[in-house]
């Protein structure tokens, strides 16, 4: 039967499993798997029976079956019945534990089967496994291994068992002696922890969502205790690594307080493993997990370990940790990395660059504010000579390119670096070091990088094009030509395909002049001639082509100078020259020459002549008008039989074109004429002469000659523009305006209605707008009726694509909707109504189409009849919403800038309406105007200077707020860039930004972040004649400080200031420190320095901050004690900061913890002036008990201890002062920190780099304060401290240099003389040397020549001393020279009988004996 056949086949396959050929073995396994897929129960049963019937079969054969079973179970266990599964579990379990010895392959295969089955039948598996995992008995190795693997493969099934499993396992850990069992337990704990974490991360899928991390915390910590305190010390490296890996996973499950407690020991231990193991990946992985757990719980201890972590990990060039440290300590990490970049050591620099690259790639948002700092710091590695370092630099630049760094100022230097190294020469001698980076390898890398910039970094396209062209011709980049050309071809193709406008290169901007043949003394034609001559050197095929073409080009260029484009330019140049000429006769002659020699039939030349004569008129108006009138009466015009006779006789066309030139000249004369003279000459000289040269009736008879018409319209438009500028400053009634408006309207009526074949209609509308503007401030309804008629006429005749003037016209008309005259209001709204329908026609709507929103303007018109101001402005807002809805985006900017002009309208109603319309438009449509924000702010800045209406000023402030809400970064960047010192209008703009507390909060946070990372000053050499460098302030931080000062002047900024007070105070205090001794940039030195002194700005900002925060009690003592002036004085700066700190401690205590926390990172800054200021502030805080009450004493103490080793002497002195102040502010804490305080004072007294002995004096002062509160135990510590004894004795010797001749000092020397003599027997050799030194220096002060000689001759530091003889001789001289001191010496010596050192006690006894013996022998 088929069933028996299948059985035979299966048995045959099982027998064949031991075939020697591996191909056969693999095929057997596949066949068994295939059979099992069809009949799972039967095949499983047969495999099980086979193993049971062949118990003595070799392990290699059974092992193969185990592999088959394991693979089989992974696919088919879902199809099998539970009865067979239990028997298979039993079989696999027995096979796994049959041998007590570890047989890896055999037992691992059985374990794998159990794991495979456990993916579904976890309860059955656990029932079997837990029988072999009993309390008090060490389990089989593979029992533990199987539990570990099960927790990986079936997380949701295993985690509910883990609490019980770990409870059973914990006692076993203490019983384990063998390394392999320690290894498997550690591995299991690692797997268990990871499974628990996965379970907790996916509780929504878990069978028991009530499971919490603290369920396992106790067991995990107990296991941690054994692994960390015992097993990690093992000599076996594999075990150490596994334990480390387990500790990393377990750290996430430890209770927060336990992990916090263990971190100071755990982190150094893990870091120490780097030195003991060659395999670093597992250590780094474990460390990352520990750091992640610490950061997640908000560890405070981690901050104290950060320096050690950074140093150790930097040596390993381990970048994974930066993900956690950069999120938590971004400033400290960045300062650390950038400082290491300054180290020229190759290995250090390579490591720093690797970490920097990782930071740029993985921490984009955090690095956003530090991009300029990174760009500045990367410059130093650019100059490194090592190719290895250069390779890392290229990798960093590549990362920076993808994150927008190369688009910033300074990014071009990085592009240049890449191109420089694309041009590297070959290495002629191969480096012996196989790890060395060759020039060829580095060059290839730079080629690829440049190619990647071109193809994959889309944002760089506008950076590279056309900049790369500049590198094609310089000789030093010749070797980079190939990659440059490839990149340029790709960029050009990309831009050409996208039809980008900047594909066309402005060679003028690029400094490439070859495209301009008339430059450089007309180098175009000679250059072509040279190419013609050397054509065979360029390419053989170029010669026949160039032989034919180049001579034509040369002839063309040589003749082109006579043509119009050049003449247009030359006529304008002549106009500028005549403008500066004082010889009136010469001016008249030149004007005559110009008018006679002009080719009047050339439109471009005609325009050039008119513009030149107009420019001349700006200085010679009377002479120019006289010459034009004279020319109009000359013989050249006598051929015309009528005013416009050119239409009757073709021979007279040239005469009429001369008249056109004359008409255009009058237009430009009006445009450039002095404003104070123009208005008196408009009617009598300019318009009168234009009308003499133009006959309207004749023109209308033959309108096909539209050129003359267009010139007349253009000229009238220029005159209208000129009048509009002059009328703002002086009153003027333009009497002929209505006449000209009528002429313009006649021109439109004469135009064909079906199609626009000429530009007449467009020119007429533009001119009408200009004609209306001079009286727009006092518009009558007549003017607006003209407009309404024009627009109505225009609707039915238009046939253009775009309505270019919609924005300008609406901008002029909309504010008139609130005019005091109701007729003007009605006419204005009618005009807007017509304009909206014109726009709809442009958009393709039919003439009879009615738009609901535009029809709403008729309702608005009715409301405008109400003269109440509030109703008018509300209605004006409704009008704006309709305009906003229908206005095309491309017209919006024109409308806005017209409204900016309306802000200075003499009618207050209309200027206010302009502001209402403006702000409504900005709210509705401002989000899409980012590119215009800088220009809009500049216009608002200019308008503020001339606006007197307070309500309009407030509206401008509201406009700035609206723009900032939509484009915050752009607004801030633009205002910060305004020239310093800020004028009053710039200040008003910043104050306006402070009026919205939410926005002010965002801006202040932005400025604080930038102040914390920006370079505050640069060191510059002031003069070649003067040595040393001068600190010069950088502009941006100075500007941002000014901005903060102005914003805080706004009363509405109080909420933002209150919320950000600690950060603001810290940032401004650090900025204050950065400003000490810093000069203004050269471009500001000529401006009133008192307005913008660097230090003054910071002090004022800090003062305003305290006032805005309502800290009057802090400000009062500062004012009384002159603290602000002291802060500004570089010599008294620290005194001023001390007074500030004292006032804050006394009157603003609750604010201090957050301030201190914000200031701490500044103590690690590279700028010592900042460290000095912050240390001075902290030092004084320690003088007050409030720091203990606020629990910030530990933080301050730790920071002061770190500053003891600062490179700056002033910082060290202030740190010593601060530590001494603890005895005043918190005397009860002196004994707690006794060891650290005494060590610090000792270090201060030993200070070598202390020219003024200021550190030494502070240390002495601090020691005297501390000694008052030391208890007996710590006094003992003081005495036993070798360093303190040594430092004290050395200090005594040094001080004696300054005390010679002083009786008081002589007495002090005698007071300590016995102590010095006895300590010559001190067990510490350094103390003995210090005693010898001090006694030699003090010898002249003692008052005995014999004793002085003894000290100088015998107490040499490197020379031995026979102590007994020395004391014997010295005692003799003491008795002879100082008999009155003998009793004092005697009492002093007796006190040393209780010394802790036997040597001192023995020396004291000998001294007493010698003294008594000699005393009795003498007396």
């Amino acid at each position: 039967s088929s069933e028996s056949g299948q059985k035979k086949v299966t048995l045959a396959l099982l027998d064949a499993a031991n075939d020697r050929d591996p191909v056969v073995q693999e095929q057997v396994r596949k066949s068994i798997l295939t059979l099992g897929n069809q009949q799972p129960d039967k095949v499983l049963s047969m495999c099980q029976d086979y193993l049971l019937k062949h118990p003595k079969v070799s392990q290699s054969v059974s092992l193969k079956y185990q592999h088959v079973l394991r693979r089989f179970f992974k696919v088919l266990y879902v199809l099998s019945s539970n009865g067979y599964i239990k028997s298979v579990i039993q079989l696999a379990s027995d096979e796994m534990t049959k041998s007590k010895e570890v047989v890896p392959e055999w037992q691992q295969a059985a374990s794998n089967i159990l794991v495979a089955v456990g993916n579904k039948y976890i309860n059955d598996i656990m029932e079997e496994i837990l029988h072999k995992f009993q309390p008090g008995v060490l389990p089989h190795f593979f029992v533990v291994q199987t539990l570990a693997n099960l927790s990986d493969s079936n997380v949701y099934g295993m985690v509910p068992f883990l609490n019980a499993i770990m409870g059973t396992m914990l006692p076993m850990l203490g019983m384990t002696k063998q390394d392999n069992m320690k290894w498997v337990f550690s591995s299991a704990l690692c797997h268990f922890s990871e499974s628990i974490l996965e379970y907790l991360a996916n509780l929504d899928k878990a069978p028991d969502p009530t499971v919490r991390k603290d369920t396992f915390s106790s067991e995990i910590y107990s296991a941690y205790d054994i692994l960390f305190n015992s097993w990690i010390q093992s000599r076996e490296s594999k075990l150490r690594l596994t334990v480390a890996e387990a500790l990393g996973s377990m750290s996430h499950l430890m209770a927060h307080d336990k992990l916090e407690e263990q971190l100071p020991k755990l982190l150094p231990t893990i870091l120490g493993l780097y030195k003991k193991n060659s395999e670093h990946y597992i250590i780094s992985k474990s460390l990352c997990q520990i750091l992640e757990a610490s950061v997640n719980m908000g560890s405070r201890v981690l901050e104290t370990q950060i320096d050690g972590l950074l140093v150790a990990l930097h040596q390993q060039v381990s970048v994974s940790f930066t993900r956690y440290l950069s999120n938590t300590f971004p400033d400290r990490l960045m300062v650390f990395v950038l400082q290491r970049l300054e180290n020229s050591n190759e290995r250090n620099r390579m490591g720093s660059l690797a970490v920097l690259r990782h930071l740029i790639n993985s921490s984009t948002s955090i690095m956003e504010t530090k991009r300029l700092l990174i760009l500045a710091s990367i410059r130093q590695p650019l100059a490194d000579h090592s190719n290895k370092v250069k390779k890392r630099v290229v990798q960093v630049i590549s990362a920076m390119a993808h994150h927008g760094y190369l688009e910033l100022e300074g990014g071009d230097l990085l592009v240049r670096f890449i191109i420089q190294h694309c041009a590297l020469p070959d290495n002629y001698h191969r480096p012996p070091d196989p790890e060395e980076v060759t020039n060829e390898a580095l060059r290839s890398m730079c080629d690829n990088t440049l190619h990647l910039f071109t193809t994959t970094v889309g944002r760089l396209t506008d950076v590279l094009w056309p900049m790369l062209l500049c590198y094609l011709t310089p000789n030093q980049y010749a070797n980079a030509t190939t990659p440059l050309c490839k990149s340029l071809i790709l960029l050009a193709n990309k831009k050409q395909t996208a039809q980008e406008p900047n594909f066309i290169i402005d060679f003028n901007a690029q400094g490439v002049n070859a495209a301009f043949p008339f430059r450089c003394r007309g180098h175009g034609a000679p250059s072509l001639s040279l190419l013609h001559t050397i054509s065979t050197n360029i390419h053989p095929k170029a010669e026949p082509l160039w032989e034919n073409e180049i001579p034509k080009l040369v002839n063309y260029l040589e003749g082109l100078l006579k043509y119009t484009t050049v003449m247009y330019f030359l006529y304008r140049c002549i106009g500028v020259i005549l403008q500066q000429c004082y010889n009136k006769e010469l001016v008249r002659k030149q004007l005559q020459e110009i008018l006679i020699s002009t080719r009047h039939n050339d439109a471009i030349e005609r325009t050039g002549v008119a513009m030149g004569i107009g420019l001349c008129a700006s200085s010679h108006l009377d002479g120019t008008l006289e010459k034009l009138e004279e020319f109009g009466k000359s013989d050249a015009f006598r051929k015309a039989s009528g005013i416009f006779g050119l239409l009757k006789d073709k021979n007279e066309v040239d005469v009429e074109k001369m008249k056109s030139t004359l008409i255009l000249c009058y237009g430009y004369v009006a445009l450039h004429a002095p404003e104070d003279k123009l208005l008196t000459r408009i009617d009598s000289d300019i318009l009168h002469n234009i009308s003499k040269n133009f006959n309207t009736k004749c023109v209308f008879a033959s309108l096909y000659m539209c050129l003359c018409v267009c010139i007349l319209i253009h000229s009238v438009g220029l005159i209208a523009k000129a009048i509009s500028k002059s009328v703002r400053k002086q009153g003027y009634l333009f009497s002929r305006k209505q006449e000209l408006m009528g002429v313009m309207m006649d021109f439109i009526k004469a135009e064909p209605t079906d199609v626009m074949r000429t530009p007449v209609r467009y020119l007429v509308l533009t001119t009408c707008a200009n004609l209306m503007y001079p009286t727009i401030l006092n518009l009558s309804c007549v003017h607006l009726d003209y407009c309404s008629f024009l627009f109505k006429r225009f609707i039915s005749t238009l046939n253009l694509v775009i309505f270019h003037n919609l924005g300008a016209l609406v901008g002029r008309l909309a504010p008139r909707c609130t005019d005091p005259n109701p007729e003007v209001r009605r006419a204005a709204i009618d005009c807007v109504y017509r304009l909206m329908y014109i726009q709809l026609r442009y958009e393709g709507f039919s003439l009879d189409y009615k738009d609901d929103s535009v029809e709403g303007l008729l309702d608005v018109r009715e409301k405008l009849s109400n003269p109440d101001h509030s109703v008018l402005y509300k209605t004006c807002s409704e009008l704006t919403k309709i305009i906003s809805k229908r206005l095309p985006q491309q017209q919006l900017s024109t409308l806005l800038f017209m409204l900016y002009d309306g802000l200075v309208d003499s009618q207050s109603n209309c200027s206010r309406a302009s502001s209402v319309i403006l702000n409504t438009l900005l709210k509705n449509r401002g989000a899409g105007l980012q590119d215009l924000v800088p220009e809009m702010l500049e216009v608002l800045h200019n308008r503020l200077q001339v606006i007197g209406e307070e309500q309009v000023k407030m509206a401008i402030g509201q406009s700035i707020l609206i723009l900032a809400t939509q484009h915050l970064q752009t607004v801030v960047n633009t205002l910060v860039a305004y020239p310093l010192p800020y004028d009053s209008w710039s200040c008003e703009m910043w104050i306006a930004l402070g009026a919205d507390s939410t926005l002010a909060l965002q801006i202040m946070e932005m400025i604080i972040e930038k102040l914390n990372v920006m370079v505050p000053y640069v060191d510059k050499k002031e003069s070649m004649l003067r040595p040393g460098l001068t600190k010069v302030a950088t502009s941006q931080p100075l500007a941002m400080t000014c901005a903060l000062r102005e914003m805080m002047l706004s009363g509405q900024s109080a909420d933002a200031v209150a919320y950000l007070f600690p950060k603001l105070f810290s940032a401004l205090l650090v900025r204050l420190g950065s400003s000490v001794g810093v000069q203004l940039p050269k471009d500001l030195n000529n401006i009133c320095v008192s307005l913008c002194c660097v230090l003054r700005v910071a002090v004022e900002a800090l003062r305003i901050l305290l006032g805005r925060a309502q800290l009057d009690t802090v400000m009062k003592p500062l004012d009384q004690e002159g603290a602000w002036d002291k802060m500004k004085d570089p010599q008294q700066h620290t005194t001023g900061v001390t007074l500030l700190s004292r006032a804050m401690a006394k009157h603003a205590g609750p604010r201090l913890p957050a301030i201190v926390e914000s200031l701490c990172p500044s103590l690690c800054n590279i700028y010592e002036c900042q460290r000095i200021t912050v240390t001075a502030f902290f030092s004084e805080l320690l003088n007050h008990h409030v720091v203990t009450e606020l629990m910030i004493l530990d933080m301050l103490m730790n920071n002061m201890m770190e500053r003891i080793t600062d490179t700056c002497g002033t910082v060290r002195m202030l740190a010593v002062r601060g530590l001494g102040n603890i005895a005043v502010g918190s005397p009860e804490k002196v004994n707690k920190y006794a060891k650290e305080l005494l060590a610090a004072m000792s270090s201060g007294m030993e200070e070598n780099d202390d020219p003024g002995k200021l550190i030494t004096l502070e240390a002495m002062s601090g020691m005297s304060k501390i000694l008052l509160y030391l208890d007996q135990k710590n006094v003992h510590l003081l005495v036993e401290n070798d360093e303190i004894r040594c430092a004290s004795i050395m200090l005594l010797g040094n001080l004696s240099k300054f005390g010679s001749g002083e009786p008081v000092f002589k007495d002090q020397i005698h007071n300590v003389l016995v102590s010095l003599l006895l300590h010559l027997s001190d067990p510490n050799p350094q103390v003995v040397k210090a005693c010898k030194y001090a006694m030699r220096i003090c010898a002249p002060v003692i008052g005995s020549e014999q004793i002085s000689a003894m000290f100088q001759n015998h107490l040499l530091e490197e020379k031995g001393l026979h102590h007994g003889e020395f004391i014997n001789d010295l005692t003799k001289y003491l008795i002879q020279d100082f008999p009155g001191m003998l009793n004092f010496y005697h009492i002093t010596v007796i006190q040393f009988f209780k010394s802790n050192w036997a040597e001192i006690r023995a020396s004291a006894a000998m001294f007493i004996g010698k003294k008594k013996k000699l005393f009795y022998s003498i007396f």
Side-chain angles (χ1 to χ4, degrees), residues 403-666:
H403 293 91
Y405 288 72
L406 303 194
E407 298 152 53
L408 303 176
E409 184 179 353
D412 56 325
L413 296 177
L414 305 185
V415 176
R416 185 195 301 170
F417 178 85
I418 297 294
I419 297 170
Q420 282 174 340
H421 291 84
C422 287
L424 281 176
D426 291 342
N427 277 116
Y428 293 106
H429 302 288
R430 294 289 175 186
D433 182 1
E435 295 184 2
E436 184 62 42
V437 178
T438 63
N439 277 7
E440 292 88 343
L442 183 59
R443 186 176 63 210
S444 175
M445 184 179 185
C446 290
D447 288 351
N448 294 334
T449 301
L450 186 59
H451 181 72
L452 285 172
F453 285 176
T454 309
T455 55
T456 63
V457 189
R459 62 199 306 167
L460 281 185
T461 301
D462 290 330
V463 175
L464 300 177
W465 177 271
M467 182 177 71
L468 293 186
L469 284 169
C470 300
Y471 295 102
L472 277 174
T473 52
N475 190 51
Q476 65 264 38
Y477 304 117
N479 218 22
T481 301
T482 299
L484 280 171
C485 288
K486 289 179 179 178
S487 293
L488 283 166
I489 291 168
L490 290 167
L491 290 168
N493 288 336
K494 187 188 301 184
K495 286 191 166 287
Q496 196 169 20
T497 303
Q499 296 184 343
E500 295 185 20
N502 62 354
F503 169 66
I504 306 302
I505 300 169
D506 182 0
F507 287 97
N508 184 36
Q510 296 298 322
V512 180
N513 298 316
F516 297 88
F518 299 116
R519 293 188 178 174
C520 303
R521 294 179 293 173
H523 63 190
S527 298
L528 284 171
S529 300
L530 176 61
L531 285 173
H532 184 202
T533 305
I534 64 171
S535 58
T536 53
N537 294 300
I538 295 171
H539 196 281
K541 292 185 179 180
E543 185 177 7
L545 176 65
W546 288 3
E547 185 72 34
N548 183 43
E549 298 295 333
I550 285 184
K552 296 178 183 177
L553 287 171
V554 171
N555 291 335
Y556 174 74
L557 289 178
E558 288 175 345
L560 192 62
L561 281 170
K562 300 174 185 176
Y563 283 83
T564 57
T565 53
V566 175
M567 297 305 292
Y568 168 81
F569 171 71
L570 291 176
Y571 279 127
R572 293 176 66 192
C573 290
I574 291 171
V576 173
I577 293 169
L578 293 178
Q579 192 180 38
Q580 305 298 322
C581 181
Y582 296 103
N583 188 328
K584 295 185 178 180
E585 188 57 35
L586 176 62
V587 170
R588 288 175 58 83
K589 286 182 180 179
Q590 291 299 322
L591 290 175
Q592 178 71 19
E593 183 68 27
I594 290 170
L595 291 167
I596 292 174
S597 61
T598 300
R599 295 187 311 113
H600 297 280
N601 60 344
D602 188 296
I604 298 177
E605 192 166 329
R606 181 193 305 115
T607 305
V609 167
M611 293 179 73
I613 290 176
L615 290 167
C616 173
S618 65
S619 298
H620 307 284
L621 179 61
D622 294 338
T624 302
L625 289 172
E626 288 173 12
K627 176 51 65 179
L628 289 175
E629 186 173 4
E630 180 184 318
F631 181 67
K633 296 176 181 179
S634 66
D635 294 341
F637 289 85
R638 289 183 182 174
K639 291 182 181 179
S641 57
I643 293 181
F644 225 82
L646 66 104
L647 300 177
K648 298 180 180 179
D649 187 350
K650 287 189 176 180
N651 295 329
E652 298 171 3
V653 168
D654 288 342
V655 174
E656 297 306 327
K657 288 185 178 177
M658 290 169 63
K659 290 184 178 181
S660 296
T661 303
L662 201 58
I663 291 170
L664 192 60
C665 286
Y666 278 114

Side-chain angles (χ1 to χ4, degrees), residues 981 1079-1081 1084-1097:
Q1079 295 184 4
L1080 289 167
L1084 292 179
N1085 276 333
N1086 295 329
I1087 304 172
C1088 182
V1089 175
S1090 63
L1091 292 175
C1092 193
C1093 170
V1094 182
L1095 196 52
R1096 176 177 177 169
V1097 169

Side-chain angles (χ1 to χ4, degrees), residues 1220 1222-1224 1226-1228 1230-1231 1237-1238 1260-1272 1274-1275 1278:
I1222 292 177
V1224 178
S1226 306
E1228 72 278 10
V1230 167
N1231 288 290
L1237 293 173
L1238 292 173
M1260 292 175 63
S1261 173
M1263 181 71 86
S1264 65
K1265 297 175 190 174
I1266 291 165
L1267 289 174
L1268 295 173
Y1269 300 100
L1270 284 180
D1271 57 23
Q1272 187 63 38
N1274 288 315
V1275 170
L1278 173 64

Side-chain angles (χ1 to χ4, degrees), residues 897 900 932-944 956 959-961 963-964 967-968 970-976 978 989 993:
F897 285 104
Y900 291 140
L932 289 173
V933 169
E935 191 177 352
M936 288 193 286
L937 289 173
E938 183 60 34
V939 173
L940 290 173
H941 179 261
N942 294 335
R943 293 293 174 270
L944 277 171
I956 288 181
S959 301
I960 296 167
L961 276 176
L963 287 172
H967 311 286
L968 182 58
T970 307
V971 169
V972 172
N973 290 346
T974 302
L975 294 182
V976 164
Y978 278 12
M989 296 173 83
L993 289 176

Side-chain angles (χ1 to χ4, degrees), residues 1318-1369:
L1318 295 181
H1319 275 286
L1320 288 171
S1321 301
D1322 196 281
N1324 188 301
Q1326 295 303 318
V1327 176
V1328 174
K1329 285 184 180 181
C1331 287
K1332 289 181 178 180
Y1333 168 79
M1335 292 171 74
R1336 276 203 324 277
I1337 300 300
C1338 295
V1341 184
I1342 289 178
S1344 169
E1345 292 183 4
Q1346 292 174 311
I1347 293 175
S1348 179
M1350 274 192 74
F1351 285 1
Q1352 299 294 342
N1353 295 332
H1354 297 287
L1355 298 180
L1356 302 176
E1357 292 177 22
E1358 302 302 328
K1359 188 176 180 181
L1361 177 69
H1362 193 288
H1363 192 254
E1365 293 182 3
F1366 179 79
I1367 292 295
N1368 190 56
D1369 295 341

Side-chain angles (χ1 to χ4, degrees), residues 781 816-817 819-828 864-867:
C781 61
R816 314 318 301 175
C817 293
D819 193 277
N821 186 331
E823 290 302 313
V824 172
R825 294 201 297 270
R826 179 198 56 76
L864 290 175
S865 59
N866 189 330

Side-chain angles (χ1 to χ4, degrees), residues 212-263:
R212 294 288 179 265
K213 186 169 70 172
D214 51 15
T215 308
F216 308 95
S217 296
S218 176
E219 288 75 10
I220 287 291
Y221 181 71
S222 300
Y224 165 89
D225 190 43
I226 294 172
L227 268 63
F228 179 72
N229 291 315
S230 177
W231 292 5
I232 204 167
Q233 309 299 332
S234 171
R235 295 180 181 179
E236 176 57 47
S237 62
K238 185 180 178 182
L239 175 57
R240 286 199 303 268
L241 289 175
T242 306
V243 171
E245 187 175 15
L247 292 176
S249 299
M250 294 161 67
S251 62
H252 284 279
L253 297 173
M254 290 172 63
H256 288 178
D257 57 336
K258 295 293 184 183
L259 180 58
E260 187 82 338
E261 178 187 321
Q262 292 297 316
L263 275 179

